[in-house]
Amino acid sequence: MRDSEEEEKWSRETIPKVMKIITNRLPQRDLISLLFVSSSIYRTLVSTPSLWLAVDLREMNNAGDRLIAALSLTRYHHVKRIVLEFAQGIEDKHLDTLRNKLSGSLKDLEHLNLNGCQKISDKGIEAITEACPSLKIFSIYWNVRVTDAGISHLGKNCKHIVDLNLSGCKGISDKSLQMVSENYPHLEFLDITRCIKITDGGLQHIIVKCSGLKSLNLYALSSFTDGAYKKLSLLSHLRFLDLCGAQNLSDEGLFSIAKCKDIHTLNLTWCVRVTDVGVIAIAKGCTSLEYLSLFGIVGVTDKCLVALSEHCSNSITTLDVNGCIGIKKRSHEELVQLFPYVRCFKVHS
């Protein structure tokens, strides 16, 4: 009898304390595995709502069926984050089922990651967004089936988006960015990497109407002109800007970008028209710069390095000048003198 009482006390008092310590540190898959260890652990876990606010099925097979099964369980009825990144077996039909039968479980969803889910189309976007009115973060990286129609559904159904990743969605055009700008004036993070149909017009819609942007990723978009880049000066809160491959960006464009004084990460890799003049303007304007890549720019010399040292030496931790043939290689001691906080310096590797 005494052993039974001790075991009951252990289950009632000790197990919940131990679970509280370890569960917040465990991946969700391990958390689910613990459900099968004992009935007392099961009861403890399922009675802790904060443990079931996320469904993470990234890279898993049969993800569509798994997602439906999970959201059918009471413990997932207040889920806030769903991650399906590169999951297999997730299709429009699964998202349609969620809308029609389990929308109650999605009313609190704030973060949806559909990155790499190649079988999701505009129909799937329509279905899932109708069920997620509280969505704030939406990511659908590398999906060539989604078009302007899908983004239109997002704008119609989800009014609170602040973080949007459309990277690699080659089917969207300026129409999508116009809809985004009109529906999300408070947008803070936007990634349109490799969205090759977007032109100056689409980008300018975003710049003018989403003035609170903190992060803008324009990686591998070479068609924009200085006319669009000069508008970037309107983004006074910008902290992250990726312009890798911006072949038309000139020093004049950088003069405008230098007015974004809060930028701490700037990628100018392969911006081949840039010279010392533009980089010096950045150094003088963006004095909180932490990361700067000038990779592959042959028009810069030690002059810009001196300017960066004069104005940004207390902030820069990463500087990539690989391929900048006008910048000489330096010893560790010389680098520390120029940039005392630098942790990564790449040159002529």
Side-chain angles (χ1 to χ4, degrees):
M1 175 69 76
R2 183 173 179 82
D3 289 343
S4 177
E5 291 176 354
E6 289 294 329
E7 182 177 348
E8 182 180 348
K9 183 178 180 181
W10 170 269
S11 298
R12 184 178 66 254
E13 299 180 3
T14 306
I15 286 181
K17 292 179 181 178
V18 173
M19 289 295 101
K20 186 176 181 180
I21 294 172
I22 68 172
T23 49
N24 288 327
R25 304 176 185 178
L26 289 176
Q28 190 182 54
R29 295 179 191 183
D30 293 339
L31 191 64
I32 292 172
S33 297
L34 284 176
L35 292 171
F36 302 97
V37 173
S38 72
S39 58
S40 56
I41 291 178
Y42 178 90
R43 288 194 299 272
T44 299
L45 293 179
V46 298
S47 63
T48 308
S50 62
L51 297 178
W52 310 104
L53 298 178
V55 177
D56 190 341
L57 300 174
R58 73 183 72 204
E59 299 181 4
M60 294 188 71
N61 294 323
N62 302 317
D65 293 336
R66 290 174 184 266
L67 180 60
I68 290 171
L71 295 182
S72 298
L73 301 172
T74 303
R75 62 177 179 268
Y76 283 115
H77 280 189
H78 298 283
V79 66
K80 289 184 177 293
R81 182 168 66 96
I82 294 177
V83 179
L84 294 164
E85 188 161 281
F86 293 103
Q88 303 299 311
I90 178 75
E91 302 176 20
D92 289 344
K93 64 180 182 181
H94 298 108
L95 302 185
D96 193 54
T97 297
L98 293 179
R99 173 183 57 183
N100 295 331
K101 297 183 178 180
L102 295 168
S103 59
S105 299
L106 296 170
K107 64 183 183 302
D108 297 323
L109 189 71
E110 295 180 355
H111 182 169
L112 177 60
N113 183 331
L114 295 175
N115 289 346
C117 296
Q118 295 287 355
K119 293 184 179 181
I120 301 298
S121 71
D122 293 336
K123 291 182 179 180
I125 301 301
E126 179 181 18
I128 194 65
T129 56
E130 284 184 359
C132 307
S134 301
L135 203 61
K136 295 180 180 178
I137 302 173
F138 182 67
S139 184
I140 192 164
Y141 160 83
W142 196 42
N143 185 308
V144 296
R145 299 183 67 187
V146 171
T147 70
D148 294 331
I151 306 306
S152 178
H153 294 311
L154 176 70
K156 176 184 176 182
N157 299 321
C158 305
K159 299 300 184 182
H160 307 290
I161 298 292
V162 294
D163 188 332
L164 183 59
N165 185 350
L166 302 175
S167 174
C169 295
K170 299 181 179 180
I172 68 171
S173 71
D174 288 346
K175 291 181 180 180
S176 285
L177 291 199
Q178 182 176 357
M179 287 184 283
V180 168
S181 68
E182 291 172 352
N183 285 282
Y184 307 124
H186 302 297
L187 192 68
E188 296 182 3
F189 303 88
L190 178 64
D191 188 339
I192 51 173
T193 293
R194 300 187 190 279
C195 294
I196 55 177
K197 290 184 178 181
I198 294 174
T199 70
D200 280 11
L203 179 58
Q204 289 183 28
H205 277 298
I206 292 294
I207 295 172
V208 171
K209 294 189 177 182
C210 302
S211 58
L213 271 178
K214 296 178 181 178
S215 175
L216 181 60
N217 196 332
L218 306 177
Y219 182 96
L221 294 172
S222 60
S223 62
F224 297 138
T225 71
D226 255 3
Y229 295 129
K230 289 177 182 178
K231 294 282 188 181
L232 290 171
S233 63
L234 298 174
L235 302 179
S236 58
H237 301 285
L238 200 62
R239 294 175 56 80
F240 175 99
L241 179 61
D242 194 330
L243 295 172
C244 176
Q247 296 179 10
N248 297 319
L249 175 66
S250 73
D251 292 332
E252 289 186 24
L254 283 186
F255 273 106
S256 294
I257 292 169
K259 295 177 182 178
C260 303
K261 298 185 180 299
D262 289 338
I263 288 182
H264 66 69
T265 299
L266 180 59
N267 187 359
L268 299 177
T269 296
W270 295 118
C271 294
V272 293
R273 294 183 60 194
V274 167
T275 72
D276 284 335
V277 175
V279 179
I280 290 172
I282 290 293
K284 292 180 178 179
C286 306
T287 54
S288 298
L289 204 59
E290 298 175 10
Y291 173 102
L292 176 64
S293 176
L294 303 174
F295 184 103
I297 303 178
V298 297
V300 295
T301 70
D302 282 337
K303 290 181 181 179
C304 74
L305 217 61
V306 171
L308 287 165
S309 176
E310 290 177 354
H311 300 282
C312 307
S313 62
N314 291 327
S315 59
I316 283 189
T317 59
T318 301
L319 183 57
D320 189 347
V321 293
N322 197 9
C324 301
I325 58 177
I327 294 178
K328 70 177 183 180
K329 195 170 184 178
R330 286 171 167 77
S331 67
H332 176 74
E333 291 74 19
E334 290 174 313
L335 284 175
V336 171
Q337 286 182 351
L338 289 171
F339 306 103
Y341 300 102
V342 74
R343 294 195 300 265
C344 181
F345 185 83
K346 300 179 181 179
V347 57
H348 306 320
S349 61

